[in-house]
Structures are given as C-alpha cells and as structure tokens.
Amino acid sequence: MSSIELKSKWLENYKTAPAQLQKMGKINGLISAFNANVDAVIKVNGAGIQKLIAENKLDIDLILADGENSIRSKEDAIRGFLNCFKNGIAEEWLIEDVEVFEWLNKHVGYDKMQMGGQGGIVANVMAVCGVNSVYVHCASAPKDQSKLFLDLPNLLTNDEKGEIKQASKVDRSSDLALIHWIIEFDKGDSISLNGETFVCPKANRFIATYDPLNFKLHIDENFANRMSQKDINPEYIILSGYQMLHETLHDGTKGVERIDFSKAMIAKWRESCPESLLHLEVASTQDKVIRKYLINSLVESVDSLGFNERELIDILEVIGEDELAQKCEENTNSSNLFEGMLKIYEYTKCSRMQLHMFGLYLTLQKKEFKVTPIQNRDGMQLAATVAAAKAGTGAIDKKEVLLWAKDHKVSDVGLKELSSLSETVSKLFGANELMETGIFSNEKLEIIAVPTILIEKPVTLVGMGDTISSVSLVGAR
C-alpha cells in the first residue's frame, strides 16, 4: 500500500474514537494515586538561558560536565535543561537543595500554573472523559492546588476529615502546595556555550521537581482507609509517583519500605473489586535501587505497565540488558525498542505493557489478556486523538475538546516506525498485517501498534505520556 492509501486506511480505523469515548462513561470507579502537585510551566529559549547563566555568573564548565541526574546546585538545574534541550528528550530531575528551589522560583518563575503529577493529570483526564467516579490521592490539598483540578462533580478526593468531596472544592488549609517546574523548549532553537552551539532536534521539556511529600511517597491515611471500603469498588487503579523515591530517604527510611507499604495497601483496595485492572506508570526513576525494586517487586502485582522510550531503556539497564539498552540509546526506533519490550516482558511476566514513543504507540500482552487486541487498538486510537487535542489546543478541560483531532491523518513518522516494527515482527514471528490493521497475534502473545497523530507546533507536551497510557487502557472497552 502507498502512504496515501495507508493514511486513508488508518483514518477509517480511527473512526471508532467517538464510540470509545462514550464507553468510558460506563466505568463506575477509578483510583488515581499517588502524586498530584502544581506544575509551574514556562516556555524558554536558548537566548534566555544564556542570559540567565551570564547574569547569575554560573560556571559553564559545570553545566557542560557529566554528572548525576539530580539537582544540588544552580548549575545542575541548567545542566539538566541542556541535556534535554540538545537531545530533544524529556526527563525529570529532583531538586535536593531548598536554595536551588528558591532560586528557580525567583529567577525562572512560570508562565502559568496547572495540575501536575501523573496522579493529578490522570485524574483530570479520566474525569473529563466521563468516568463516573474518579478518586484522586493528594498528599497535599490546599486551595491553590485543589483549584487546578477540573470543576467536575465526578472528580473526588478527601478533605481534612476524610470525607469524600469534589476535588476542586477541597481546601486542606494547613497543607503546603507542591510545585514542579516544567521548562519547555522548541525544535530548532539553539544555545551557545563556550563556543559550542547546541540545536534542539525536537520540542520537549525538562522537569525540575522540589516536592518533599511526594519524595517520600507520603500517603494520606484518610484516603487510604476510604479507598478500602466496599462502596468504592474501583474497576481501574492507576499508580504513579514512585519515581521520586531514593534508596534512603532524608529521615532514614528506606525507599523500598515505602513501596512495600503501598503494595500491601493497594491489595486491600482491590478486595472489594478483585477483577480491577492495576496499571503502573513507570516514569523517569533516577535511583537505580528503587527502579530495580519496582521491577522486581511491585510489578509482580500489576496487570499493566506504561513507559516511554527513555523509561524503557532505564528498565533494560536494571534487568541486565545493558547491551540492548545501549543499542536502543544509540538508535531509538520501534524495532530496537520492541526487542527491549520483549526482554522486559520475558523478565517481568507482566501481562500487558505499553510503550508510547514519538509517532507510535505499541502494546505487547499475553495471549487472551482481559483486554482484546481490537479493544486495545481502539483505546490507543482514542488516546492518540485525545493527546493530539491536548497538543493542538493546550488543554483538554472540556469534553467537546477531546475529539478536536478526530479527522486528522496519522503521521509519516508513525507509518515509518510501524513499517520498521512490522519488518522486525516478520523476522521474529512471521508474516503480519501490522501496517494495515495494527494487530498481530500468535499462540503466546499479542502485539498492537498504532501510528499516531502528530501536531507540528504543539501548544504543550506536559502530561502527554500520562494521558496516552491512561486513555489507551481505560478507553479500551
């Protein structure tokens, strides 16, 4: 088939999106936990960063040097930004020094504030998509943070007394707002340091996070107790927030102990709905001890995993696949990443996993998983449509915006990645029709791949991965 014919075929496939969105209104309960915070978003350019460096007399050698993916100095903050800028990637680095937090607040600031944290973003998306009761965990819920939840009666959290109320109207006034900086940059922008010029290959963002509560996976006791009661009955539980843990926390607690605590608590939540589907959004977990423990311990309890290219590579590094991780790092395409997914699937035995990469969404699952291949494809197509609406309009805060991109054609980038994947699947498993249908299955596994809609000049990319993973899964009905 020609590219034009394939785009026409996929436009036809995508016509299921409105019906899938309607089906989300039949879901009774969903829990989104654990991290919700305030995102302070700012768009920057290379010239502005150069000026910031000069005005603050920052050490350029330190900015250009290699180091850990954490922020202990002003130079570390710029080093993290530069790493994402020059590679066109997204990463989240944790701010470990309060003075750096205060410096960013004063000298970088923000253009706007919006709901942040995978837990908060997923809750907003699920609520606007029509899930009947979305319960969101908040480590902190002062008015300034709560008002960033959508003003919807189906989006719920607990007040200071433990009563379930509309999340946007809760004011736990003694709580502290938790702020993360989302520093966005554009494709084609450049920055010059010490005579070397770096050109950004792809629009993306760098996240600098100071969040003492979510750093230790603080769990509100009132919320935890309420979610274990039988009337909640969650059909889906979407987990996130573990990426901020360290091997040893500031108070001496071990990060793995917090994972174990959450694991036991989630098991209680599922008692009222044992058929609930449990999904873990991996996120960019810098601490290797925590990353490995998540894969070795928590994943054995979950039904589904979600990750992007970087996060997939990070997982490979802690399961003994360093060579393949390096291969994926050097050539980040669907073929190499699929090989990585197969290794993770083999290692974890997780029933379902989904990769969201630039231009393509890819799901790998065991044969006869509770969500069928066609349901997966329909959910992924809805996710691609909703994600494109978010990128194209800047916000998906009203239901009528969700299908803004429903008549857009899939991207050339997506079809190229799908072609590469199809060739790899042919070599490993035999002939397939992935290019036309996006679905392949054999006696052991099922592969579902969807080329996505790409917006040339996105208004925002914040929370895109969380939107994709959650809608792909919950929209697969």
Side-chain angles (χ1 to χ4, degrees):
M1 267 192 197
S2 68
S3 175
I4 292 173
E5 289 172 323
L6 282 171
K7 286 187 177 183
S8 178
K9 172 65 176 171
W10 278 99
L11 188 62
E12 190 66 27
N13 290 341
Y14 265 73
K15 286 185 178 179
T16 61
Q20 293 306 119
L21 183 60
Q22 271 197 317
K23 290 177 185 177
M24 289 184 72
K26 298 178 181 178
I27 298 165
N28 291 321
L30 179 148
I31 298 173
S32 182
F34 291 96
N35 57 331
N37 56 262
V38 175
D39 276 350
V41 184
I42 184 168
K43 178 70 74 74
V44 301
N45 56 45
I49 295 298
Q50 286 177 220
K51 182 180 178 183
L52 182 70
I53 292 169
E55 288 180 345
N56 288 272
K57 297 181 172 56
L58 301 185
D59 188 327
I60 295 177
D61 289 334
L62 290 178
I63 292 170
L64 295 173
D66 292 330
E68 294 182 14
N69 291 5
S70 61
I71 300 173
R72 298 186 179 93
S73 68
K74 299 168 188 175
E75 284 84 1
D76 282 340
I78 306 303
R79 180 171 62 85
F81 163 79
L82 181 64
N83 180 62
C84 291
F85 181 91
K86 70 183 182 182
N87 294 306
I89 60 174
E91 289 188 345
E92 180 176 12
W93 290 18
L94 307 183
I95 302 170
E96 299 184 14
D97 189 309
V98 67
E99 290 184 7
V100 180
F101 167 80
E102 292 169 349
W103 178 77
L104 283 169
N105 199 21
K106 180 179 179 181
H107 294 278
V108 176
Y110 54 86
D111 296 327
K112 62 179 179 179
M113 298 179 80
Q114 62 189 36
M115 177 52 64
Q118 287 90 349
I121 292 168
V122 166
N124 271 347
V125 172
M126 293 295 98
V128 77
C129 283
V131 173
N132 285 308
S133 295
V134 178
Y135 303 96
V136 57
H137 173 267
C138 298
S140 183
K143 184 177 180 180
D144 284 346
Q145 182 163 313
S146 294
K147 68 183 182 183
L148 298 175
F149 284 115
L150 297 180
D151 185 12
L152 294 171
N154 58 331
L155 180 48
L156 308 162
T157 194
N158 60 286
D159 63 13
E160 66 278 1
K161 296 177 182 178
E163 296 296 322
I164 294 295
K165 293 185 177 178
Q166 183 173 324
S168 64
K169 300 185 185 305
V170 167
D171 181 12
R172 289 167 15 199
S173 56
S174 61
D175 289 356
L176 175 71
L178 309 171
I179 300 178
H180 300 208
W181 272 275
I182 312 292
I183 304 170
E184 298 184 319
F185 43 84
D186 287 330
K187 176 181 177 180
D189 194 10
S190 64
I191 184 170
S192 298
L193 299 172
N194 279 3
E196 187 175 4
T197 298
F198 303 97
V199 178
C200 178
K202 189 179 78 166
N204 225 311
R205 78 277 186 196
F206 171 61
I207 305 174
T209 294
Y210 183 75
D211 187 343
L213 289 181
N214 285 319
F215 276 5
K216 59 184 180 182
L217 200 73
H218 172 80
I219 298 171
D220 184 86
E221 187 177 353
N222 286 327
F223 184 88
N225 291 336
R226 188 68 182 85
M227 292 302 103
S228 64
Q229 295 176 18
K230 289 185 178 180
D231 63 315
I232 298 300
N233 198 28
E235 294 175 52
Y236 295 86
I237 302 173
I238 299 180
L239 303 177
S240 57
Y242 296 93
Q243 73 273 14
M244 287 184 272
L245 288 171
H246 279 80
E247 179 180 4
T248 303
L249 308 183
H250 288 303
D251 63 1
T253 304
K254 296 297 181 183
V256 298
E257 293 175 9
R258 298 301 299 158
I259 296 172
D260 288 341
F261 176 80
S262 74
K263 187 176 174 181
M265 184 184 61
I266 293 159
K268 289 183 180 179
W269 293 356
R270 299 184 86 182
E271 287 178 3
S272 66
C273 193
E275 293 302 310
S276 61
L277 215 159
L278 182 61
H279 174 85
L280 171 64
E281 194 63 15
V282 174
S284 181
T285 308
Q286 300 302 326
D287 190 298
K288 286 190 175 182
V289 171
I290 296 299
R291 194 190 313 160
K292 186 166 186 176
Y293 196 75
L294 285 171
I295 299 304
N296 287 345
S297 178
L298 184 60
V299 169
E300 69 184 15
S301 300
V302 308
D303 304 297
S304 176
L305 278 179
F307 41 70
N308 65 17
E309 307 98 314
R310 177 69 258 166
E311 292 150 9
L312 183 152
I313 294 168
D314 288 345
I315 295 171
L316 291 175
E317 289 175 352
V318 296
I319 65 169
E321 296 290 343
D322 296 291
E323 189 174 325
L324 182 53
Q326 184 65 31
K327 181 181 176 182
C328 291
E329 185 92 64
E330 292 173 356
N331 195 350
T332 312
N333 59 35
S334 61
S335 177
N336 290 340
L337 293 169
F338 176 64
E339 289 184 34
M341 287 183 77
L342 287 173
K343 290 295 184 182
I344 297 169
Y345 181 75
E346 179 184 336
Y347 183 91
T348 63
K349 305 294 191 296
C350 185
S351 298
R352 177 189 184 271
M353 53 187 61
Q354 185 181 52
L355 165 72
H356 44 90
M357 64 176 292
F358 187 61
L360 189 75
Y361 305 159
L362 173 57
T363 296
L364 174 66
Q365 64 182 31
K366 72 176 182 180
K367 184 74 171 180
E368 297 182 348
F369 182 63
K370 62 181 72 175
V371 182
T372 69
I374 191 70
Q375 287 174 326
N376 264 298
R377 188 187 73 179
D378 289 347
M380 292 156 72
Q381 289 169 168
L382 175 61
T385 304
V386 172
K390 185 180 181 76
T393 68
I396 46 173
D397 52 1
K398 294 181 177 61
K399 196 153 189 173
E400 53 265 32
V401 178
L402 297 173
L403 298 176
W404 174 86
K406 71 180 180 66
D407 295 320
H408 285 53
K409 292 183 179 179
V410 299
S411 65
D412 290 323
V413 173
L415 289 176
K416 181 181 177 182
E417 293 291 358
L418 183 58
S419 177
S420 176
L421 173 68
S422 178
E423 290 175 10
T424 300
V425 171
S426 292
K427 291 174 186 176
L428 294 175
F429 302 113
N432 60 80
E433 297 181 353
L434 283 169
M435 288 300 293
E436 295 83 12
T437 68
I439 294 172
F440 170 84
S441 63
N442 60 23
E443 68 280 359
K444 291 184 178 179
L445 53 81
E446 297 167 343
I447 300 164
I448 308 97
V450 169
T452 71
I453 300 164
L454 293 179
I455 303 301
E456 184 65 27
K457 293 183 178 180
V459 177
T460 182
L461 294 171
V462 176
M464 198 62 77
D466 315 316
T467 300
I468 293 162
S469 283
S470 59
V471 178
S472 289
L473 179 62
V474 184
R477 306 284 289 177

